[in-house]
Amino acid sequence: MTGERKHYIGLTLFVALAAVVPLSTDNDFYLRVLFLIGVNYIAAAGMNVLVGYTGQKSLGHAGLFAVGAYTTALLTTRWGWNPWPAFAAAGVMAGLFGIVIALPALRVKGPALAMVTIGFGIVVEKIVSEWQDVFAGQQGIYGVLPLSLGGAMFSSKHWVWFVLLLGVTLHVMLRLLLRGRFGRAFMAVNTAEVAAESVGISVYRFKVLAFVISAVTCGLAGALIAQQNQYINSDFITFNLSVFILLMVLFGGPSIYGPLLGAVVLTLLDAFLSRWPSVQHFTYGALLLFALYAMPDGLAGFLRKISRKWAPSLLSPEPLPGQLAPWRPRGQGNGEEMLLEAEGLYKAYGGVVPTNNVDIRIRAGHVHSLIGPNGAGKTTLLNILSGIVPPDRGKIRFGGGDVTGLPPHRIARAGLGRTFQNLKLFTGMSVLDNVKLGLHANIPTGFFGSLVGSGGQAEKAARDEALQILDALGLRDKAQEIAGSLPYGVQRRLELARALATHPRLLLLDEPAAGLNPQETQELVQVILRIRDMGITVLLIEHHMDLVMAVSDHVIVLDYGQKIAEGTPEQVQNDPRVIAAYLGAEDTMEQEDEEGGVYVP
């Protein structure tokens, strides 16, 4: 049985059980608790995208809850809206406020981001408390129209069934979204932002999107509370609510099922402790610390560990297809064109100038090597070419277009792929998903298509192509292993596979042989030559001169940020300026006298 079938069978059983529960009781308190579990899940499910998947902490979502609640309250009581359009408008308005928060908030990270969101929550709380003419403060707004069917207002049981239907719909849509290209992109942003940009993912846009998703679900949760109570006041909008929403996600764990676990456990605990508010607040704080430090994977992670031990069949990986055709890159140019031309590149950090008026020309179909002593500015030059570091001056033309100053994800989408001197894998994801992330820009499924599951064929095609790339680099047998668990040499090859998946016209390799043993280095030589034979142009930084001489058609030498020589490997190897840069002038003269020639190490 496939994982998809297991999931939908389990979901059907859960829905059937949950739908029957309201029939077994007329106790309004029990029905109210069930309703609150559903509302809290809806708020936490969107928050999970922001916190659990994208890694952005927010402590101001009570403000977004208030936006949804007061939107539906004002529309139904003062402007006479039908409660159904008012409910939908609450989600839209909260989403707009999510953008308003995200744009300034995401200029900062970590604790500073949390402080900005706290500020938003406090501002909203003060507005609804103090602006009496509009929001009525603690007195509140009465007469909020509840949802109804056929002219009959929802009963307590109807509210439970409605929130169950809404929660299940939200779960299915978010699961489809997060299991595809958008979910991988969110996790990539969380793990390594620079690497995410290098495969064509706009980090800023995905952070904003995560904020909007969390805002919409939080706004809908606020609307549900206002319409079910037929009343809303400022007492609902407190900092404790923001903590509670965040705690549900952290305690449940960064999983599609985590928000449900968190909502069930914490809603029941909240109902139990409601008689003792001081104990309630202390418990929230203690659980928050516990979730952050003692159980970082939450209840979902704990249950996953138990399942691996006692019921491994529940977590069995999806079967992969058999033999596939060899992988070939798309859209490569011919060997006559000048693929990249950079003129007068200059970058200074105070008095340090790692790139000093460098000109560079890269011809399609060749392997170009960039060498020089430590500190010569090689990696800085690669970072400038790939958009990670903007030049202070100079021009870069790539593929016939000016890419100077463009963000890294746009340069990556133009056909420039790269690896990094210090590995930047998405270590918590599988090998297969790492390579799928390289294919991100080539998967045509959009946001709304992902929500409704219309990208199934595109996902299968991406999986097959990722397997073809892994097969080409001898990594197919590692496809379902976690990237961070692989040996270092295999991780190096995986990063190269991910870069190839972007379908680069130009591939930048920053010391790909660093940390490899001699056998792995020799294998890398053959891999680079195969990549060149596929029509992919390579610009390589490397200190292993045997590797450089074996693969290079053209060598460029930097020293103290300046280009001092270029030409064929033989020409560069015998250039006096290169010899002096590596060995020093005095040492060079001594070796020439003793040996009658010099070999660049």
Side-chain angles (χ1 to χ4, degrees):
M1 186 185 299
T2 65
E4 285 294 301
R5 189 175 180 186
K6 290 178 186 176
H7 169 261
Y8 284 110
I9 289 175
L11 182 63
T12 302
L13 293 175
F14 171 80
V15 171
L17 178 62
V20 168
V21 171
L23 296 175
S24 64
T25 181
D26 292 318
N27 187 303
D28 280 341
F29 175 75
Y30 294 155
L31 293 173
R32 172 73 177 176
V33 170
L34 290 173
F35 171 75
L36 287 176
I37 289 174
V39 171
N40 288 335
Y41 167 72
I42 289 169
M47 187 70 156
N48 185 43
V49 177
L50 179 68
V51 177
Y53 279 78
T54 317
Q56 307 302 300
K57 301 296 187 291
S58 172
L59 284 167
H61 269 55
L64 296 167
F65 183 95
V67 170
Y70 279 95
T71 295
T72 191
L74 293 172
L75 289 177
T76 57
T77 60
R78 302 194 183 179
W79 287 287
W81 278 44
N82 181 285
W84 286 100
F87 175 70
V92 173
M93 185 63 69
L96 293 175
F97 270 84
I99 297 174
V100 171
I101 304 171
L103 292 178
L106 294 179
R107 298 183 184 277
V108 295
K109 297 180 181 180
L113 173 61
M115 294 302 294
V116 171
T117 58
I118 287 173
F120 170 77
I122 292 174
V123 168
V124 172
E125 182 181 351
K126 288 298 180 183
I127 289 174
V128 299
S129 299
E130 304 296 335
W131 198 351
Q132 297 283 337
D133 293 341
V134 177
F135 302 105
Q138 289 187 335
Q139 178 183 346
I141 300 175
Y142 290 87
V144 180
L145 294 182
L147 298 177
S148 59
L149 281 178
M153 294 188 301
F154 277 9
S155 67
S156 296
K157 293 182 179 181
H158 291 142
W159 279 111
V160 174
W161 286 324
F162 176 69
V163 83
L164 174 63
L165 175 63
L166 190 62
V168 169
T169 303
L170 180 64
H171 166 80
V172 171
M173 293 175 73
L174 287 181
R175 185 174 185 271
L176 290 170
L177 181 77
L178 296 174
R179 285 170 63 88
R181 67 189 292 260
F182 282 85
R184 290 191 297 271
F186 287 133
M187 293 181 68
V189 170
N190 186 2
T191 306
E193 292 185 9
V194 173
E197 290 273 357
S198 76
V199 296
I201 296 169
S202 172
V203 168
Y204 193 77
R205 289 181 182 176
F206 272 87
K207 286 182 177 180
V208 172
L209 179 59
F211 252 103
V212 170
I213 292 171
S214 68
V216 169
T217 62
C218 219
L220 292 176
L224 286 168
I225 291 295
Q227 291 186 303
Q228 200 265 353
N229 288 332
Q230 301 180 48
Y231 168 73
I232 189 71
N233 77 347
S234 60
D235 290 340
F236 286 83
I237 317 304
T238 65
F239 177 68
N240 291 334
L241 176 59
S242 293
V243 173
F244 186 78
I245 295 171
L246 177 62
L247 182 58
M248 283 191 289
V249 174
L250 296 178
F251 192 73
S255 159
I256 193 68
Y257 302 103
L260 177 60
L261 295 171
V264 171
V265 172
L266 293 179
T267 304
L268 294 175
L269 184 63
D270 184 67
F272 178 72
L273 296 176
S274 59
R275 298 180 183 179
W276 307 285
S278 59
V279 176
Q280 190 179 44
H281 299 158
F282 171 80
T283 304
Y284 291 162
L287 283 175
L288 184 57
L289 291 174
F290 179 76
L292 286 172
Y293 294 104
M295 198 168 60
D297 293 330
L299 284 174
F302 176 72
L303 293 176
R304 196 180 300 114
K305 289 180 181 178
I306 293 177
S307 297
R308 285 197 184 104
K309 183 175 181 180
W310 298 105
S313 61
L314 294 176
L315 300 175
S316 56
E318 294 289 336
L320 298 177
Q323 189 67 33
L324 297 167
W327 179 74
R328 297 293 301 178
R330 299 191 290 266
Q332 303 309 312
N334 61 66
E336 299 301 319
E337 67 175 330
M338 198 58 65
L339 185 59
L340 182 144
E341 297 177 274
E343 297 178 358
L345 295 181
Y346 180 89
K347 184 68 181 179
Y349 298 96
V352 178
V353 184
T355 306
N356 191 355
N357 293 318
V358 174
D359 298 337
I360 185 171
R361 292 161 64 85
I362 303 297
R363 187 174 295 280
H366 290 188
V367 176
H368 299 255
S369 288
L370 186 62
I371 66 172
N374 288 329
K378 303 182 295 296
T379 295
T380 300
L381 180 57
L382 250 62
N383 288 340
I384 290 173
L385 296 178
S386 58
I388 294 173
V389 174
D392 294 335
R393 61 174 182 260
K395 291 287 185 182
I396 305 171
R397 291 185 63 80
F398 176 61
D402 189 351
V403 298
T404 311
L406 291 182
H409 71 274
R410 289 188 58 186
I411 294 177
R413 286 172 176 255
L416 192 148
R418 69 164 297 173
T419 64
F420 295 87
Q421 182 177 356
N422 298 316
L423 275 172
K424 295 187 185 300
L425 289 176
F426 307 115
T427 52
M429 302 172 69
S430 71
V431 168
L432 185 60
D433 280 343
N434 267 265
V435 181
K436 282 183 184 178
L437 275 163
L439 294 165
H440 176 85
N442 295 297
I443 301 175
T445 312
F447 176 73
F448 292 104
S450 295
L451 278 177
V452 299
S454 65
Q457 289 303 117
E459 278 294 312
K460 288 181 181 178
R463 179 203 62 190
D464 291 349
E465 185 173 0
L467 288 171
Q468 289 175 312
I469 296 169
L470 289 172
D471 193 35
L473 293 181
L475 295 174
R476 165 125 186 188
D477 60 325
K478 310 288 185 184
Q480 293 177 321
E481 296 185 26
I482 299 300
S485 68
L486 300 174
Y488 183 81
V490 179
Q491 289 188 29
R492 277 283 180 193
R493 212 182 315 162
L494 173 58
E495 189 180 42
L496 179 56
R498 186 187 67 197
L500 288 175
T502 64
H503 288 276
R505 289 187 287 169
L506 173 60
L507 179 61
L508 309 183
L509 303 179
D510 195 349
E511 298 194 28
L516 302 186
N517 60 41
Q519 179 180 347
E520 290 170 332
T521 302
Q522 288 302 314
E523 292 173 354
L524 179 62
V525 170
Q526 300 305 315
V527 169
I528 293 174
L529 292 176
R530 288 204 307 272
I531 291 171
R532 181 197 62 187
D533 293 342
M534 290 178 183
I536 298 174
T537 308
V538 177
L539 176 58
L540 167 75
I541 291 178
E542 191 50 69
H543 287 293
H544 287 68
M545 287 301 143
D546 289 343
L547 186 153
V548 170
M549 298 302 161
V551 302
S552 301
D553 300 301
H554 187 83
V555 179
I556 303 164
V557 188
L558 292 184
D559 189 29
Y560 292 107
Q562 294 183 310
K563 184 173 71 174
I564 61 172
E566 66 177 316
T568 65
E570 294 77 15
Q571 290 171 334
V572 167
Q573 185 176 349
N574 295 294
D575 191 303
R577 292 169 298 177
V578 178
I579 297 167
Y582 271 93
L583 299 179
E586 294 183 3
D587 291 342
T588 300
M589 292 176 65
E590 290 176 6
Q591 287 198 26
E592 286 177 344
D593 290 340
E594 294 175 6
E595 303 174 13
V598 178
Y599 176 73
V600 177

